[in-house]
Amino acid sequence: MSSIFSRLISALSINRRLRSGCILLLCVVLVVIFAGAIAPYDPYKLGDDLMVRPGVGNHFLGTTAMGQDVFSMIIYGSRTSLSIGIVSALISGVIGTLIGAAAGYFRGKFDIVISEIINIFLMIPTFFLILIIVALFGSSMLNVMLVIGLTSWPSNARMMRVQALSIKERTFVKSAVAMGESGWRILFKYIIPNGIFPVVANTTMGVASAILTEASLSFLGLGDPNVVSWGQMIFDGKQYITSAWWISTFAGLAIMFIVIIFYMIGDGLNEALNPKLRRIR
Amino acid sequence: MLLDIRDLNIVYRMRNKAIYAVNNVNFSLEKGKSLGIIGESGSGKSTLAMAILKMHNLKNTEVTGQIIFEGRDLLALDEKQFKEYRWTRIAAVFQKSMNNLSPVHKIGTHFEDIYRVHEPDISSSEIRERVYALFHMVNLSPRVYTCYPHELSGGMLQRVSIALSLIFHPTLLIMDESTTALDVITQGQILEEIKELEKVVDVTRIMITHDLFVVATACQQILVLYAGDMMEYGDVRDVLNHPMHPYTKALIASFPSLRGEKREVHSIPGTLPDLSVKTRGCAFYDRCRAHREICRQEKPVVCQTGGLHTVCCHLYGKIRETDVKEGVNR
Amino acid sequence: MTELTTLLEVKNLKKWYPCRRKNRLFSPGKEWVKAVDGIDLTVNSGEVVGIIGESGCGKSTLARMLIGLEQPTTGEIRYNGRLSTDLIRDDKKGFHRIAQTVFQNPFDTFTPNDRIGSLLMRPLKMHNIGSDSAERRELCLSALEEGGLIPAADFLNRYPHELSGGQLQRISILRSLLLNPAFMVVDEPISMLDVSVRADILAMLLVLCRQKGTGIMFISHDISVIRYVSDRVAVMYLGRIVETGRTDDIILHPRHPYTEALLSNCSTIDPDDQTEVIRIEGEPPSPVGTGPGCFFAERCPKASAHCWRAYPSVTKAGESHEVSCFIYQREQR
């Protein structure tokens, strides 16, 4: 297992995009942790200054129609976005890896069923499925995480399945079988550690798309109303877009910023860990 | 003289180190005397072949010395000038040449394309005739012309590659492990065919291989490389029957015999030296059973021992005759 | 040599893979790739049996069946008289302690993530050999030393990619031998190694197996290596054994036209060797739709009409030298 880390470390030292992505992510994480210290106001507090322009008074990025400080909302909103993104991508990564690896390694009927399910998921418009589920079961943060995670695993599973199919033919798996190693152990000890890198890269990209999905849900008014989220800010700000452009715009920029970070990391990981791409570079 | 290589040095420059792949190689090739270059992995044999074909990426590879082919130094030519040579005068067949065939085109199309580029006015029937003649040379049936690559076996594909390399009747053909992946019978027959080929077309081969069998059957001269250094050079018969360099001797001793008396085989202890360190002495020093102090200190000079046979070893250079015997027997 | 006991007995072993007909609409029904098509073979303990054949002759499929990586279609594999299917059913792990293997590609035999130490200790732990990890470590150390990998403790902490092919193949052999198998299949164990290290790997394999009385099936396309290591040789062609016998009987006095051709196409390193090369027409056919005649008939330079009609039965050509060929049968009569 330690070599997975050493590979990640060496990937960091080679790939510039990955490195800068990680540094930026670290900054974002610091912001998330110290949100209370950085944000000048309580984002939930309705202030007296309504729709203040950016830079006026102590409001760095202005205020909303309700008098909330936009800068503080964006700082606190990073918590929502990041946690929803990471948790749902993790759910999808873990489920995808396990199901995909098992399908690819054990083959048989299980594989046929899984492959069909993956195909179905890839065909139906997932976003509408999410919409329906959130509309039915409520839009708490936990629900949103679960729904996004449970609908996005098929792409990871498909990737892992292909990996498992090829690793299965490698000599070290055959020699493990010849040694008498059990099927499950081969799956967890040989197949997954050696094939997980593209899934890691894909999951990182998945964080970005989960953040976007959450933003879209909030934009449609299906976000968790009890937390500050960037999508919701855009939703709230859209009716004032002509008079107070800053409410939606800065939230939108924040989403763009974090999505780009995760794409940089995901792309960098893909390039650094995928042997095929690495050779070209 | 067809090819004359003088003081060839090839260095791969990497980020934080250099790999000295070929060091001070000198040899010459006469027309019609096919040469086998033998060496293990890391001996620089393929690097040498790529230098003759000017296939190195000059951004990270330093090639110095002279490669004189038909009187002109190939290293002095630029890419445009070299185009006249590549494939028309110097052609190559690699171990994986067969993978270079496009899977969606028929075998014949590959030939047609090349002919059309070089001779735009040529007619289809003319091409066909010429290709059939080439096929005949490498023992392929004309039927192959309309086949797709996946319909052919490995041996046939390798024959197609050889036919492709012979299109413009090159004077020099470089074959880099081109029969290695094939089955015994196929390999044996292709070797026979290319020996026959020399009677029909005027082509001289350089065969690069790790397998002494190939050199023994299909070449007249042999060059033994080790870690980028020349060890021994000469007529195949001389070198294989009376090897002089301890490395050549050890290499021959590591091949089991097929016919005749069964003999013990021996490995060469130790491993290849680090190619990123420029050695002061003989590259084979630490694996050599007959090594002396001088072998570690100084590079051995080339020593001509009669005819073409040359050997790069202190045993035959500075040390007196009596010492030689003693050293060999040690 | 000690008295020979039959270790492995293979009877009428077959492995057929179904394959689709090219034209399924008009000619329904399955076609079979007969990778292994009826093999009878024995290996005695302490003996090295070489298998020669070109690619596609089924030698690797045979190897995979013997170590339980693949199930035979029909036929029997018996180790010390017991059916392999019974052995696997009763004690799957125990079966892997009887039959072990060494693979061709040493660079891919070990997971890249683990150190040599844990790679070597894993099979011991799996098979409950040695009481605790300290004892297993000792076992591994002594095995490495036996295999000439000194200092052994150094190797335990290395990763596979830090070692040379020769070292990895030694470790691969040692790991298989840690289980004390009665039988080993080695499939082209030295073909990916540098020429200069091959001899030592062979010597190590042979010495260790002789010591432990392990029977070896040595598969290779390199006939001079087979000659060097094996006591007996079997020549395979399209899933069947066409000739078996003691090594020098086969190499020096081949009876089957295929063996003759194979041997004549093997060059030696002696440039004065003047063996006439027997030309064989055509490419090795695929093992689909073979028969009913001798499989080699269409490429055989000596084939007569009779050869196309039925598959030749096994004929004795000397003490423990057997050949399946009509031509030879007729010559004897």
Side-chain angles (χ1 to χ4, degrees):
Chain A
M1 247 13 200
S2 64
S3 102
I4 293 181
F5 283 107
S6 67
R7 268 182 80 177
L8 286 176
I9 300 286
S10 77
L12 265 181
S13 65
I14 301 167
N15 194 301
R16 202 193 308 156
R17 198 172 341 161
L18 179 59
R19 198 164 48 226
S20 30
C22 284
I23 292 169
L24 288 173
L25 181 65
L26 194 73
C27 299
V28 174
V29 168
L30 287 177
V31 167
V32 167
I33 294 170
F34 298 108
I38 298 169
Y41 298 92
D42 179 353
Y44 299 101
K45 200 186 116 208
L46 307 178
D48 303 327
D49 311 322
L50 307 182
M51 293 220 282
V52 176
R53 289 190 156 275
V56 176
N58 289 328
H59 300 292
F60 177 50
L61 296 178
T63 59
T64 65
M66 314 280 272
Q68 293 158 287
D69 181 54
V70 172
F71 181 64
S72 305
M73 286 177 84
I74 283 176
I75 297 291
Y76 273 88
S78 66
R79 285 186 169 176
T80 321
S81 290
L82 215 58
S83 52
I84 285 186
I86 290 174
V87 170
S88 49
L90 271 182
I91 294 175
S92 120
V94 169
I95 295 179
T97 304
L98 291 179
I99 292 184
Y105 180 64
F106 293 118
R107 299 302 303 272
K109 285 206 175 96
F110 181 64
D111 183 35
I112 295 171
V113 173
I114 292 299
S115 299
E116 287 311 315
I117 293 178
I118 291 174
N119 286 341
I120 290 169
F121 263 100
L122 292 175
M123 271 185 295
I124 57 170
T126 325
F127 186 69
F128 290 101
L129 185 71
I130 297 174
L131 267 186
I132 294 166
I133 297 174
V134 169
L136 283 177
F137 295 100
S139 58
S140 73
M141 225 165 102
L142 185 71
N143 268 0
V144 173
M145 285 174 184
L146 279 176
V147 165
I148 296 177
L150 291 177
T151 49
S152 62
W153 61 266
S155 73
N156 285 329
R158 192 173 55 155
M159 215 168 251
M160 192 65 216
R161 179 177 168 270
V162 173
Q163 287 283 321
L165 282 177
S166 79
I167 292 170
K168 204 179 134 165
E169 300 301 321
R170 298 269 298 268
T171 310
F172 60 81
V173 173
K174 292 212 154 62
S175 83
V177 176
M179 284 282 152
E181 200 81 85
S182 72
W184 285 104
R185 206 183 140 87
I186 287 175
L187 190 68
F188 284 102
K189 190 83 187 37
Y190 298 82
I191 304 276
I192 292 180
N194 284 298
I196 201 160
F197 295 107
V199 182
V200 169
N202 193 46
T203 302
T204 318
M205 302 245 196
V207 175
S209 61
I211 289 172
L212 282 178
T213 308
E214 186 273 335
S216 317
L217 281 176
S218 302
F219 181 74
L220 294 174
L222 287 168
D224 190 336
N226 302 317
V227 290
V228 182
S229 97
W230 294 338
Q232 205 143 15
M233 284 172 72
I234 301 176
F235 172 61
D236 292 338
K238 78 168 192 283
Q239 48 191 312
Y240 309 105
I241 193 81
T242 44
S243 50
W245 53 271
W246 51 89
I247 306 173
S248 301
T249 307
F250 289 118
L253 285 176
I255 292 174
M256 208 172 85
F257 179 66
I258 203 146
V259 166
I260 287 174
I261 290 177
F262 278 104
Y263 266 109
M264 277 165 88
I265 298 174
D267 217 32
L269 277 178
N270 205 6
E271 210 171 274
L273 300 176
N274 190 332
K276 274 181 201 146
L277 290 175
R278 194 166 33 177
R279 227 175 285 140
I280 297 164
R281 196 164 46 83
Chain B
M1 203 59 67
L2 180 67
L3 182 73
D4 200 1
I5 289 187
R6 290 184 199 157
D7 295 324
L8 186 69
N9 281 281
I10 302 172
V11 186
Y12 291 113
R13 296 268 171 217
M14 296 167 56
R15 240 200 236 178
N16 39 19
K17 63 177 175 183
I19 301 283
Y20 300 94
V22 171
N23 310 312
N24 280 322
V25 167
N26 283 288
F27 69 88
S28 52
L29 188 64
E30 253 176 86
K31 231 175 174 69
K33 295 260 184 186
S34 290
L35 171 78
I37 300 182
I38 192 132
E40 299 176 86
S41 54
S43 65
K45 54 189 194 303
S46 293
T47 309
L48 184 58
M50 280 168 69
I52 300 172
L53 291 160
K54 280 177 79 87
M55 275 164 66
H56 284 297
N57 179 358
L58 292 177
K59 272 183 195 153
N60 54 22
T61 317
E62 277 172 27
V63 185
T64 53
Q66 287 179 306
I67 300 177
I68 299 168
F69 175 75
E70 292 179 337
R72 284 190 81 179
D73 184 4
L74 297 183
L75 291 182
L77 301 179
D78 61 22
E79 189 52 28
K80 209 172 151 197
Q81 289 169 314
F82 187 69
K83 257 191 182 157
E84 281 172 41
Y85 287 86
R86 188 180 282 143
W87 220 257
T88 50
R89 319 297 317 267
I90 306 175
V93 182
F94 298 98
Q95 181 179 354
K96 289 180 176 156
S97 280
M98 38 189 149
N99 299 348
N100 297 347
L101 299 171
S102 153
V104 293
H105 291 118
K106 289 182 178 163
I107 298 294
T109 319
H110 291 87
F111 287 87
E112 279 166 24
D113 287 351
I114 300 178
Y115 273 118
R116 288 256 151 74
V117 169
H118 288 262
E119 296 170 58
D121 302 329
I122 196 167
S123 71
S124 285
S125 56
E126 170 86 37
I127 292 174
R128 219 168 249 262
E129 228 162 78
R130 289 195 196 175
V131 174
Y132 285 173
L134 285 173
F135 279 5
H136 183 72
M137 276 190 240
V138 293
N139 200 27
L140 280 172
S141 84
R143 194 175 50 83
V144 170
Y145 196 85
T146 48
C147 287
Y148 286 100
H150 71 261
E151 295 172 316
L152 304 179
S153 69
M156 287 159 101
L157 287 172
Q158 201 56 284
R159 287 188 175 100
V160 169
S161 312
I162 295 174
L164 271 170
S165 73
L166 293 174
I167 282 187
F168 301 112
H169 304 292
T171 41
L172 181 64
L173 178 62
I174 294 171
M175 308 187 82
D176 190 352
E177 301 274 14
S178 50
T179 56
T180 301
L182 303 172
D183 271 321
V184 178
I185 289 185
T186 323
Q187 175 174 0
Q189 296 192 342
I190 291 187
L191 286 179
E192 285 297 311
E193 282 156 25
I194 52 183
K195 271 200 300 190
E196 290 295 309
L197 207 66
E198 238 147 50
K199 294 175 187 160
V200 194
V201 283
D202 195 17
V203 61
T204 309
R205 278 172 284 120
I206 293 185
M207 300 194 77
I208 290 159
T209 177
H210 65 275
D211 207 338
L212 275 175
F213 301 125
V214 174
V215 179
T217 17
C219 297
Q220 281 87 48
Q221 290 174 3
I222 182 170
L223 171 71
V224 183
L225 284 180
Y226 178 79
D229 288 7
M230 247 177 94
M231 298 278 124
E232 196 161 358
Y233 171 73
D235 272 345
V236 168
R237 245 166 239 267
D238 283 350
V239 174
L240 293 186
N241 290 338
H242 312 287
M244 297 177 85
H245 198 286
Y247 175 65
T248 320
K249 286 180 185 170
L251 198 64
I252 292 173
S254 63
F255 278 88
S257 61
L258 176 64
R259 284 178 270 269
E261 215 175 307
K262 205 165 163 174
R263 61 158 188 260
E264 281 296 303
V265 296
H266 299 283
S267 282
I268 306 174
T271 47
L272 194 77
D274 186 355
L275 293 176
S276 60
V277 183
K278 213 166 187 171
T279 44
R280 207 146 48 107
C282 173
F284 189 56
Y285 164 77
D286 56 345
R287 296 174 78 183
C288 181
R289 285 165 69 200
H291 70 84
R292 313 289 198 96
E293 189 50 31
I294 189 172
C295 302
R296 194 162 61 88
Q297 303 288 353
E298 271 177 49
K299 280 263 178 218
V301 285
V302 176
C303 174
Q304 203 125 18
T305 63
L308 266 179
H309 203 154
T310 45
V311 57
C312 266
C313 180
H314 283 302
L315 287 177
Y316 302 93
K318 294 190 171 177
I319 305 168
R320 280 169 288 121
E321 281 292 293
T322 45
D323 289 6
V324 172
K325 292 211 173 76
E326 199 185 299
V328 175
N329 294 336
R330 215 198 315 173
Chain C
M1 205 177 287
T2 51
E3 197 173 316
L4 297 176
T5 51
T6 306
L7 166 68
L8 166 73
E9 206 179 354
V10 174
K11 259 195 201 144
N12 197 21
L13 190 68
K14 286 183 186 174
K15 180 74 190 180
W16 292 6
Y17 299 99
C19 83
R20 281 189 189 152
R21 268 178 201 277
K22 271 187 187 156
N23 196 339
R24 267 211 304 179
L25 196 61
F26 298 109
S27 52
K30 273 182 182 166
E31 235 179 346
W32 298 93
V33 178
K34 298 172 179 174
V36 172
D37 193 21
I39 279 189
D40 297 297
L41 190 71
T42 55
V43 178
N44 299 318
S45 50
E47 186 188 35
V48 182
V49 174
I51 306 269
I52 311 178
E54 294 178 277
S55 57
C57 75
K59 52 194 197 307
S60 296
T61 311
L62 172 68
R64 284 200 298 273
M65 283 194 281
L66 292 180
I67 52 169
L69 286 184
E70 239 166 300
Q71 299 311 310
T73 311
T74 58
E76 290 177 0
I77 302 170
R78 284 176 191 272
Y79 286 103
N80 292 319
R82 293 195 60 199
L83 270 176
S84 69
T85 44
D86 291 350
L87 287 167
I88 291 174
R89 193 191 54 222
D90 295 348
D91 180 6
K92 193 164 178 297
K93 275 188 187 170
F95 173 77
H96 292 297
R97 277 210 300 278
I98 295 174
Q100 264 305 323
T101 186
V102 173
F103 291 91
Q104 178 179 14
N105 183 354
F107 301 98
D108 199 35
T109 306
F110 304 105
T111 39
N113 303 331
D114 285 353
R115 289 171 203 272
I116 298 301
S118 64
L119 286 166
L120 275 176
M121 271 142 80
R122 176 67 202 151
L124 290 177
K125 196 175 168 203
M126 200 156 49
H127 291 277
N128 293 319
I129 301 172
S131 50
D132 55 4
S133 65
E135 195 185 328
R136 287 187 200 115
R137 202 183 134 85
E138 281 307 310
L139 280 172
C140 294
L141 284 173
S142 62
L144 285 172
E145 273 163 18
E146 250 178 272
L149 296 165
I150 298 165
D154 263 20
F155 281 94
L156 288 185
N157 288 323
R158 307 278 278 280
Y159 283 105
H161 64 86
E162 299 168 343
L163 302 179
S164 72
Q167 288 168 331
L168 287 172
Q169 197 61 307
R170 275 164 196 263
I171 292 170
S172 173
I173 293 171
L174 292 171
R175 184 173 69 156
S176 299
L177 286 173
L178 276 174
L179 299 177
N180 270 323
F183 175 72
M184 288 260 275
V185 177
V186 288
D187 191 350
E188 305 267 13
I190 53 167
S191 67
M192 293 188 71
L193 306 177
D194 262 334
V195 178
S196 69
V197 302
R198 288 180 179 181
D200 273 356
I201 306 280
L202 289 180
M204 186 197 106
L205 177 70
L206 295 180
V207 166
L208 290 179
C209 289
R210 289 262 148 80
Q211 273 173 14
K212 300 179 181 188
T214 316
I216 301 179
M217 179 179 283
F218 196 103
I219 297 174
S220 181
H221 68 277
D222 188 339
I223 295 168
S224 46
V225 170
I226 290 276
R227 180 185 183 206
Y228 181 68
V229 298
S230 13
D231 304 312
R232 280 195 297 131
V233 169
V235 183
M236 276 182 80
Y237 187 74
L238 287 188
R240 289 200 181 167
I241 291 177
V242 294
E243 187 168 6
T244 69
R246 278 204 298 265
T247 307
D248 273 349
D249 288 348
I250 300 270
I251 306 265
L252 303 177
H253 313 289
R255 301 295 183 201
H256 197 284
Y258 175 66
T259 320
E260 280 174 11
L262 197 62
L263 287 166
S264 79
N265 274 289
C266 282
S267 31
T268 66
I269 58 170
D270 177 10
D272 298 322
D273 184 82
Q274 292 298 332
T275 314
E276 187 74 19
V277 173
I278 300 172
R279 286 208 64 94
I280 291 198
E281 293 310 316
E283 293 290 322
S286 70
V288 185
T290 43
C294 174
F295 297 171
F296 188 56
E298 56 182 290
R299 297 171 75 199
C300 182
K302 297 177 177 176
S304 63
H306 192 52
C307 298
W308 292 88
R309 265 177 244 133
Y311 196 86
S313 58
V314 176
T315 321
K316 271 213 170 274
E319 194 201 342
S320 79
H321 189 165
E322 290 174 345
V323 57
S324 305
C325 178
F326 286 126
I327 311 291
Y328 179 74
Q329 283 174 16
R330 204 174 324 129
E331 279 169 5
Q332 290 306 296
R333 244 180 259 135

